[in-house]
Amino acid sequence: MIKLLLFDLDDTLWPSSYYAEFARRNAVKAMIELGLDFDEDFLYEKLLEVIRDLGSNAPNHFNELLRRLGIKEEAKLIAAGVVAYHNSKIAIRPFPEVPRVLRILKEKGYMLGIVTNGLAVKQWDKIIRNELHHFIDRAIISEEVGYEKPDPRLLEYALNVFDCRPEESVMIGDRERDIKPAKELGMLTVRVKRGKYVNEVVDADYEINNLLELIEILRREDPWRWK
Amino acid sequence: MIKLLLFDLDDTLWPSSYYAEFARRNAVKAMIELGLDFDEDFLYEKLLEVIRDLGSNAPNHFNELLRRLGIKEEAKLIAAGVVAYHNSKIAIRPFPEVPRVLRILKEKGYMLGIVTNGLAVKQWDKIIRNELHHFIDRAIISEEVGYEKPDPRLLEYALNVFDCRPEESVMIGDRERDIKPAKELGMLTVRVKRGKYVNEVVDADYEINNLLELIEILRREDPWRWK
């Protein structure tokens, strides 16, 4: 019998790659609007380069962008980028079927967790903006635990928190780093095929395109609850 | 003849005290919603205490708030506060007459500047959110200049930037620290009576309640432009 469903967050429950591009492009456009006279695509690519080099959780992406363009740090342009970037976050929504599916799963009695790599406040920021906190019981975040996927200890920690055995648990994620450690532990695995890593080779028990299909899988694997 | 109008930013061009309370109360309410079980007014007062002690530009106000409540830093609660605080900024608007007045002043040929104490990116953030950048020619911000109001050198720096003499310039602000140095330099001074410091004793040439009244003052003091 399955008791616990563990979900990856980014690109599994919400289209994080899509919104990242949306927010970064809005930032670049606002900087152009305030006087940064470069081509939008050029600036966007340059910004991605900065993010690659400094890491996505670094502060001061926009300062560094201007520095690389040989522009004396200009508070006006940085503020334009920051405001547009933050305002874009207002538009964040989960994948459209997600709230409905999570509600059904909750009603059926499953425990629901999120297991995600990242900074705790930043991951919770996204959970709250997507209104996922209404459905999940716990979020297990790498920064707080000290292990990152694909290290199986992050999932072990999660199983421990929920007091569940691997064979009572399902891991749902978009990447091999979600699926591989879960398989190693003996969990059932479901790969959602979307987002930035849609072409990654992932060896999961099931592969779906939409979380509504998860319900069909659970009907088959856990018929007791769905009678 | 008057050539230059210098405006203070906070509580002169937009109701900063009002929005600060709005955003902080929204943050506290969101933290309660996510499980912080305290009275809203109690939390709000505690948060003000933290901001007073750490300074309004410190990061981690919410972390410190939880620490003072004896709660182990909880990423979920901090994120709830941060999201609600930032989302509140979307609602920022200038005082309602401001865009109209600034457009008229621009059309009449005045140079318009903002002279404000604070961090450059943070002050520009507010200028942009209030859409004041469409009207002003320059913003002079203490962090970039190295002097703060009431130090007259900040205003001197501004006069220099605009290449204007004091007697060609007007300073418009809500506080004695805006008016006193301007008077010392020989500028015409206009105090706007609103915001948090509405009861401060300010010794200005004119006192107004609304920036529309500034137009009447300029008609009198600078009749040439208004013929």
Side-chain angles (χ1 to χ4, degrees):
Chain A
M1 188 184 152
I2 292 169
K3 292 183 181 168
L4 171 64
L5 307 175
L6 293 179
F7 293 88
D8 167 55
L9 176 58
D10 296 328
D11 277 342
T12 295
L13 294 176
W14 77 293
S16 68
S17 307
Y18 172 80
Y19 281 111
E21 174 164 354
F22 174 71
R24 288 165 185 163
R25 281 202 178 268
N26 283 347
V28 155
K29 287 186 224 178
M31 292 171 94
I32 295 170
E33 195 185 321
L34 273 275
L36 184 60
D37 229 345
F38 287 90
D39 174 69
E40 181 191 323
D41 287 330
F42 168 79
L43 284 176
Y44 178 67
E45 291 304 325
K46 262 284 187 250
L47 179 60
L48 290 188
E49 213 178 279
V50 168
I51 293 165
R52 254 193 315 272
D53 293 351
L54 271 57
S56 68
N57 288 324
N60 300 338
H61 288 155
F62 300 127
N63 305 54
E64 176 63 14
L65 174 64
L66 293 183
R67 205 191 58 74
R68 290 188 183 188
L69 295 171
I71 288 165
K72 205 181 131 297
E73 266 192 37
E74 216 189 311
K76 178 173 77 172
L77 296 177
I78 295 168
V82 170
V83 169
Y85 185 84
H86 284 295
N87 281 0
S88 303
K89 293 190 188 170
I90 297 288
I92 284 177
R93 301 301 306 154
F95 286 117
E97 81 282 7
V98 163
R100 191 169 15 135
V101 168
L102 295 183
R103 214 187 75 186
I104 292 170
L105 298 175
K106 228 33 250 142
E107 283 167 3
K108 286 291 175 188
Y110 292 107
M111 293 187 289
L112 305 181
I114 287 175
V115 181
T116 175
N117 284 357
L119 301 178
V121 171
K122 204 166 164 183
Q123 297 308 94
W124 267 111
D125 183 302
K126 296 184 270 188
I127 292 168
I128 291 168
R129 288 184 184 280
N130 281 294
E131 296 164 25
L132 301 172
H133 56 291
H134 297 307
F135 305 104
I136 61 159
D137 300 300
R138 285 287 296 269
I140 287 86
I141 303 174
S142 66
E143 187 197 24
E144 291 179 328
V145 180
Y147 306 116
E148 284 209 330
K149 294 181 278 187
D151 190 326
R153 285 177 291 185
L154 187 66
L155 290 180
E156 268 176 334
Y157 183 95
L159 294 174
N160 224 32
V161 161
F162 284 102
D163 196 21
C164 279
R165 284 172 292 129
E167 55 275 25
E168 297 167 329
S169 313
V170 185
M171 178 71 209
I172 303 104
D174 67 313
R175 297 187 62 183
E176 178 67 358
R177 71 179 192 190
D178 302 310
I179 301 305
K180 191 165 168 280
K183 269 202 141 172
E184 277 170 31
L185 294 171
M187 298 171 67
L188 189 71
T189 55
V190 179
R191 186 255 183 110
V192 194
K193 234 182 159 227
R194 49 188 174 193
K196 198 162 143 191
Y197 299 97
V198 68
N199 293 319
E200 205 178 61
V201 177
V202 178
D203 182 24
D205 298 312
Y206 289 94
E207 194 163 86
I208 61 179
N209 296 302
N210 182 303
L211 284 184
L212 280 167
E213 296 171 57
L214 178 62
I215 290 175
E216 293 319 304
I217 294 171
L218 291 170
R219 277 183 196 280
R220 186 176 331 152
E221 295 279 349
D222 192 33
W224 174 87
R225 277 196 207 266
W226 298 85
K227 276 199 290 250
Chain B
M1 188 184 153
I2 293 170
K3 294 183 182 168
L4 171 63
L5 308 175
L6 293 178
F7 294 87
D8 167 55
L9 176 58
D10 296 327
D11 278 343
T12 293
L13 294 176
W14 78 293
S16 68
S17 307
Y18 172 80
Y19 282 110
E21 174 164 354
F22 174 70
R24 289 164 184 163
R25 281 202 178 267
N26 283 349
V28 155
K29 287 185 223 178
M31 292 172 94
I32 295 170
E33 195 184 320
L34 271 277
L36 185 61
D37 229 345
F38 288 90
D39 174 71
E40 181 192 321
D41 288 330
F42 168 79
L43 284 176
Y44 178 66
E45 292 303 326
K46 263 284 188 248
L47 178 60
L48 290 188
E49 212 178 280
V50 167
I51 293 165
R52 254 193 315 271
D53 294 351
L54 271 59
S56 68
N57 288 325
N60 299 338
H61 288 154
F62 301 127
N63 306 52
E64 176 63 13
L65 174 64
L66 293 182
R67 207 192 57 74
R68 291 189 183 187
L69 296 170
I71 289 165
K72 205 181 131 295
E73 266 191 37
E74 217 189 313
K76 178 173 77 172
L77 296 176
I78 295 168
V82 170
V83 169
Y85 185 83
H86 284 297
N87 282 359
S88 303
K89 293 189 189 169
I90 296 289
I92 284 177
R93 301 302 307 154
F95 285 116
E97 81 283 6
V98 163
R100 191 170 13 137
V101 168
L102 294 183
R103 214 186 75 186
I104 292 169
L105 297 175
K106 229 33 251 144
E107 284 168 1
K108 286 291 175 187
Y110 293 106
M111 294 187 289
L112 306 180
I114 287 175
V115 180
T116 175
N117 286 356
L119 302 178
V121 172
K122 204 166 164 183
Q123 296 309 92
W124 267 111
D125 183 302
K126 295 184 271 188
I127 292 168
I128 291 168
R129 288 184 183 279
N130 281 294
E131 298 165 22
L132 301 172
H133 57 291
H134 297 307
F135 306 104
I136 62 159
D137 301 299
R138 285 287 296 270
I140 287 85
I141 303 174
S142 66
E143 187 198 23
E144 292 179 327
V145 180
Y147 305 116
E148 285 209 329
K149 295 181 280 185
D151 190 325
R153 285 176 290 184
L154 187 66
L155 291 180
E156 267 176 334
Y157 182 95
L159 293 175
N160 225 31
V161 162
F162 284 102
D163 195 21
C164 278
R165 284 174 291 130
E167 54 275 25
E168 297 167 327
S169 313
V170 184
M171 178 72 210
I172 302 104
D174 67 314
R175 296 187 62 183
E176 178 67 359
R177 71 180 193 189
D178 302 310
I179 301 305
K180 193 165 167 280
K183 268 202 139 171
E184 278 171 31
L185 294 172
M187 298 171 68
L188 190 70
T189 57
V190 179
R191 185 256 183 111
V192 194
K193 235 183 156 224
R194 50 187 172 193
K196 199 162 142 191
Y197 299 97
V198 68
N199 294 318
E200 205 178 61
V201 177
V202 179
D203 183 24
D205 299 313
Y206 289 95
E207 194 163 85
I208 61 179
N209 296 301
N210 182 302
L211 284 184
L212 280 166
E213 296 171 57
L214 178 62
I215 290 175
E216 293 318 305
I217 294 170
L218 291 170
R219 276 184 196 280
R220 189 177 330 153
E221 295 278 349
D222 193 32
W224 175 86
R225 276 197 208 267
W226 299 84
K227 277 198 291 250

